[in-house]
Amino acid sequence: DLALGQGHEDESMDDGEDHHDLGDLALTEPHPLGEDDNLDHLSLEQAHDLALEPGDDYSQGPLAVAPVVQSRMMVVSTEFQLVVGQEFPDVMSCRRAIRNTAIACHFEIQTVKSDKTRFTAKCAAEGCPWRIHAAKLPGVPTFSIRTILDKHTCVGINHLGHQQASVQWVASTVEERLRENPHCKPKEILEEIHKSHGITLSYKQAWRGKERIMAAVRGSFEEGYRILPGYCRQVERTNPGSIARVYGNPDDNCFRRLFISFYASIYGFVNACRPLIGLDRTTLKNKYLGTLFLASAFDGDGALFPLAFGVVDEETDENWIWFLSELHELLEKNTENMPRLTILSDRRKGIVDGVDFNFPTAFHGFCMRHVSETFRKEFSNSVLVNLLWEAANALTVIEFETKLLEIEDTSQEAVCWIRRLPPRLWATAYFEGIRYGHLTANIMESMNSWILDASVLPINQMMEVLRRQLMTWFNERREASMQWATILVPTAERRVQEAIERARGFQVARANEAEFEVISPHEGTNVVDIRNRCCLCRGWQLYGAPCSHGVAALLSCRQNVHRYTESCFTVATYRKTYSQTIHPIPDKTLWNEGQPAEDRLEVIINPPKSLRPPGRPRKTRVRAEDLGRVKRVVHCSRCNQTGHFRTTCAAPI
């Protein structure tokens, strides 16, 4: 086979014993690839390199072939063709065009001269004559190519990367795709660039290129803090009655705290929701970290109903006390009589102190998820953990003590640990307030699907994602409730229907107009008082809907069961919960329209001083039940050691 390297037309070749006689061979056109099966494997670029000029003498010896690691592609698109007289709007456009041509043709360039009036570059390969010179036209910013020597004697780059493939080039190359799909991963960017341009870049280049485009699309993190005062003013302007406040350090105006609550949420909670609030937080994953606080209620159908958001520079007891004081002021301003709340949270001291100070009459319960995880870390026994949950769900003191006896049979230390934690703070049987069956406050886990995506954005964009999600929820739930034809919301309706089915076999004896004796085959005798809406089993009181014993008593005296269910479970109240609208906020470019110049002056909030540590942030939130879980010890079947598998074993054979 004949293979010729580029740039050897004038080289003399020594005689050899078995060289081929090419004395009379003169080719003026490239050899057509389709006519010779031996050349099927040659690329179009190699075929171009085989074009020989007339008069070349190859009769003196064997051919010297230069190794080609990565050949230059033949320029077909006019986008990468550079000709004398070609003009560009400015020097940057000129440099971009030359750079793109170098990348497309797989050779690197070296800048010889670059200033305001001229730009000269040459091929970076030693000895290659390729060179280009462009200069500014007089009186205009336009640059024009003056001279170009477009012949290469090099074989192109011999590595997979490219010197001109900078972060800015990566950003401009994938900008359109990132605008369409902001969730495109750096790995996918690398694959696309390799497929389109034939070069391999580092993961860091792709990541930085993506960050540069995303900063241009969504704004920088620093700008997000700077415009917070204006954003808060827009929240209160577009959603009258809402509360939006931002606080900075008095010394340097660095961000400290942000509190936002929309009027639609305030109205729905005060007028239609159960007096139950859960507190939770999640760590932000953006450039400056921080922590997002959330106070959420629960609507009549059991879904989350976010009431207030808080963002702080770090999670401290002081910041939790501040957040609860803002929450207290919010409710005090919108209610004539402060409802006696039930608040669920973890056992952090700042939350306990904040609840005691701001809501002294509230019933404060600990989230069972946090309690069970602390218990799991201490004893590492799933059977004991399950019994602890059963004890927490027990409705009566007798059932609760029965579960503790079962735990005591397994571990005396576990019972002692449980006894040290006052049951009135976590056990349903002893809890003084009403939790409506809610034992946990892991709100963030329920919103994990979209809260994680928001936590990596600049702070103003994150709050917009939260507002937009709430706006969508309110509209969807409002429209869905219009299709309900029942008196109660679906979950309450199912609970009542299940109670009716269980009550069919009960015997009912009436003592007076309000008191009944209900006898069930498996549960014995229970006393029901329909006037006070209570039952000896405590199910009616704790869940707000008649239990099976209460349903049996109501049916025996021909009463409407639905009328004895708390109003928060009715469809009418549910519609009232979502009756208000969370309104959109215009783009920041329109915030100052129609405002006097003196009103546009505002305090500039600087970013906090905390920065995200190096390394890739966690993308999946660790569930509370996974914390402290004992890792499985792996065993190698090759060396009989622990800590690795057979496939990764490095022990000598």
Side-chain angles (χ1 to χ4, degrees):
D1 293 335
L2 178 63
L4 301 180
Q6 185 180 14
H8 299 281
E9 295 87 346
D10 299 329
E11 294 182 9
S12 61
M13 302 186 181
D14 299 332
D15 290 331
E17 293 181 1
D18 51 355
H19 75 275
H20 298 281
D21 186 7
L22 301 177
D24 298 328
L25 177 63
L27 302 180
T28 58
E29 294 295 331
H31 186 76
L33 298 181
E35 298 179 8
D36 190 345
D37 295 338
N38 294 328
L39 299 180
D40 286 343
H41 64 283
L42 294 181
S43 64
L44 184 61
E45 298 90 327
Q46 292 168 314
H48 178 72
D49 290 337
L50 286 176
L52 306 181
E53 295 297 331
D56 291 336
D57 187 6
Y58 296 100
S59 60
Q60 301 301 319
L63 298 177
V65 181
V68 178
V69 177
Q70 184 174 354
S71 62
R72 292 186 303 278
M73 58 186 294
M74 236 183 131
V75 179
V76 177
S77 174
T78 57
E79 181 183 358
F80 302 118
Q81 290 181 350
L82 302 174
V83 296
V84 175
Q86 188 173 349
E87 296 183 355
F88 304 94
D90 49 46
V91 66
M92 295 307 299
S93 300
C94 178
R95 296 185 62 172
R96 273 197 302 270
I98 297 173
R99 177 196 61 190
N100 293 339
T101 299
I103 294 175
C105 298
H106 296 293
F107 69 95
E108 294 177 341
I109 61 175
Q110 180 179 346
T111 302
V112 178
K113 176 72 70 174
S114 178
D115 54 31
K116 295 181 180 180
T117 60
R118 54 187 174 173
F119 177 76
T120 305
K122 66 176 183 176
C123 180
E126 185 176 357
C128 182
W130 189 94
R131 191 179 182 92
I132 189 170
H133 174 69
K136 180 177 176 298
L137 297 179
V140 292
T142 306
F143 264 67
S144 173
I145 296 180
R146 300 296 179 85
T147 60
I148 181 171
L149 182 60
D150 58 354
K151 297 296 183 181
H152 284 275
T153 59
C154 64
V155 295
I157 56 177
N158 58 358
H159 54 84
L160 295 179
H162 201 289
Q163 185 177 352
Q164 273 67 55
S166 61
V167 172
Q168 182 58 42
W169 178 81
V170 173
S172 59
T173 301
V174 298
E175 179 177 2
E176 183 176 351
R177 178 174 180 180
L178 285 177
R179 289 183 181 275
E180 296 175 354
N181 179 24
H183 301 293
C184 181
K185 298 179 180 179
K187 183 179 179 181
E188 297 172 355
I189 294 175
L190 292 176
E191 293 174 352
E192 179 177 335
I193 289 177
H194 181 74
K195 181 179 179 181
S196 303
H197 302 278
I199 58 177
T200 302
L201 304 178
S202 66
Y203 182 91
K204 185 176 182 180
Q205 278 181 287
W207 182 85
R208 290 176 62 192
K210 177 183 177 180
E211 287 296 303
R212 187 167 297 186
I213 290 299
M214 298 312 298
V217 172
R218 66 194 179 195
S220 66
F221 290 96
E222 292 76 14
E223 183 189 15
Y225 289 102
R226 183 179 61 82
I227 65 176
L228 274 182
Y231 178 77
C232 291
R233 190 168 58 248
Q234 290 299 313
V235 169
E236 294 180 341
R237 185 184 69 82
T238 56
N239 293 266
S242 301
I243 298 176
R245 301 168 181 164
V246 60
Y247 303 90
N249 286 321
D251 299 332
D252 52 11
N253 281 338
C254 286
F255 172 82
R256 285 196 67 194
R257 298 162 177 163
L258 172 69
F259 183 88
I260 292 181
S261 180
F262 295 96
Y263 176 73
S265 297
I266 300 173
Y267 179 89
F269 175 75
V270 170
N271 294 281
C273 281
R274 324 171 200 182
L276 173 66
I277 292 179
L279 302 176
D280 202 2
R281 88 287 177 266
T282 187
T283 302
L284 303 182
K285 306 297 191 301
N286 59 34
K287 182 178 179 180
Y288 292 97
L289 297 178
T291 303
L292 173 66
F293 292 163
L294 175 61
S296 179
F298 302 88
D299 63 23
D301 203 35
L304 288 175
F305 186 83
L307 175 59
F309 300 96
V311 182
V312 295
D313 52 356
E314 58 180 336
E315 184 183 13
T316 61
D317 293 342
E318 181 185 359
N319 281 334
W320 268 116
I321 295 174
W322 161 81
F323 181 72
L324 288 166
S325 67
E326 293 280 352
L327 190 62
H328 177 269
E329 182 181 347
L330 175 154
L331 295 175
E332 192 174 45
K333 184 184 297 184
N334 290 275
T335 55
E336 296 181 0
N337 298 312
M338 176 70 69
R340 193 171 189 184
L341 299 174
T342 297
I343 298 178
L344 301 178
S345 70
D346 61 18
R347 297 188 291 166
R348 187 180 181 95
K349 184 179 183 299
I351 300 179
V352 175
D353 293 342
V355 171
D356 291 343
F357 180 77
N358 294 286
F359 302 96
T361 62
F363 302 105
H364 190 192
F366 290 157
C367 172
M368 263 305 296
R369 191 76 69 186
H370 295 87
V371 173
S372 66
E373 277 312 308
T374 307
F375 184 77
R376 185 194 300 272
K377 291 178 183 178
E378 187 73 22
F379 299 100
S380 300
N381 188 321
S382 59
V383 175
L384 291 178
V385 173
N386 292 335
L387 289 174
L388 178 67
W389 275 94
E390 293 176 6
N393 282 290
L395 299 182
T396 63
V397 174
I398 295 177
E399 295 176 7
F400 176 82
E401 295 297 334
T402 301
K403 293 300 177 183
L404 289 193
L405 289 176
E406 294 183 34
I407 296 176
E408 187 176 12
D409 292 339
T410 305
S411 172
Q412 184 68 35
E413 293 79 6
V415 169
C416 294
W417 187 94
I418 295 173
R419 295 288 186 188
R420 288 195 297 269
L421 187 65
R424 62 181 177 82
L425 298 175
W426 59 277
T428 302
Y430 287 93
F431 191 71
E432 298 176 358
I434 301 178
R435 293 190 288 190
Y436 301 95
H438 294 279
L439 294 181
T440 64
N442 288 70
I443 302 167
M444 295 300 181
E445 290 183 5
S446 302
M447 302 190 296
N448 198 31
S449 59
W450 55 274
I451 203 73
L452 279 176
D453 292 336
S455 67
V456 301
L457 299 175
I459 187 169
N460 65 312
Q461 295 292 325
M462 178 185 70
M463 298 311 302
E464 271 297 273
V465 170
L466 300 179
R467 181 202 58 79
R468 200 171 293 116
Q469 182 65 46
L470 260 64
M471 181 179 68
T472 304
W473 274 356
F474 269 62
N475 182 63
E476 291 176 349
R477 294 173 183 178
R478 185 189 308 117
E479 292 182 351
S481 67
M482 295 302 174
Q483 309 300 320
W484 296 342
T486 57
I487 298 176
L488 304 179
V489 296
T491 55
E493 187 69 31
R494 285 194 297 269
R495 177 180 288 275
V496 169
Q497 293 300 324
E498 291 171 0
I500 292 175
E501 289 297 323
R502 291 195 303 270
R504 295 189 185 281
F506 293 177
Q507 298 179 11
V508 181
R510 188 169 187 173
N512 52 44
E513 67 277 2
E515 195 172 7
F516 295 80
E517 183 182 56
V518 180
I519 304 173
S520 58
H522 305 291
E523 302 175 26
T525 301
N526 281 278
V527 178
V528 176
D529 187 344
I530 63 173
R531 179 186 295 131
N532 296 317
R533 300 187 180 188
C534 63
C535 176
L536 200 61
C537 74
R538 302 187 72 235
W540 196 342
Q541 303 94 293
L542 295 177
Y543 291 99
C547 60
S548 57
H549 313 108
V551 168
L554 291 170
L555 293 178
S556 69
C557 59
R558 295 186 176 86
Q559 293 292 326
N560 187 340
V561 176
H562 297 88
R563 291 181 53 195
Y564 286 83
T565 302
E566 288 196 18
S567 61
C568 62
F569 296 109
T570 63
V571 172
T573 302
Y574 185 92
R575 290 171 180 168
K576 191 175 182 180
T577 306
Y578 296 100
S579 61
Q580 302 299 311
T581 301
I582 295 181
H583 300 283
I585 295 178
D587 187 79
K588 61 184 179 182
T589 57
L590 306 175
W591 289 358
N592 292 327
E593 284 193 1
Q595 287 189 349
E598 57 272 13
D599 293 344
R600 300 180 186 181
L601 299 177
E602 57 190 12
V603 177
I604 301 298
I605 298 296
N606 298 318
K609 295 181 179 179
S610 59
L611 284 173
R612 185 175 64 196
R616 185 181 301 177
R618 184 186 296 276
K619 285 296 184 181
T620 55
R621 189 174 191 263
V622 179
R623 298 182 301 172
E625 57 266 30
D626 292 336
L627 293 174
R629 177 176 292 178
V630 179
K631 294 184 178 179
R632 181 171 64 93
V633 178
V634 297
H635 182 82
C636 177
S637 60
R638 182 170 174 269
C639 65
N640 294 324
Q641 299 297 319
T642 58
H644 63 274
F645 295 103
R646 177 186 180 89
T647 54
T648 58
C649 182
I653 300 177

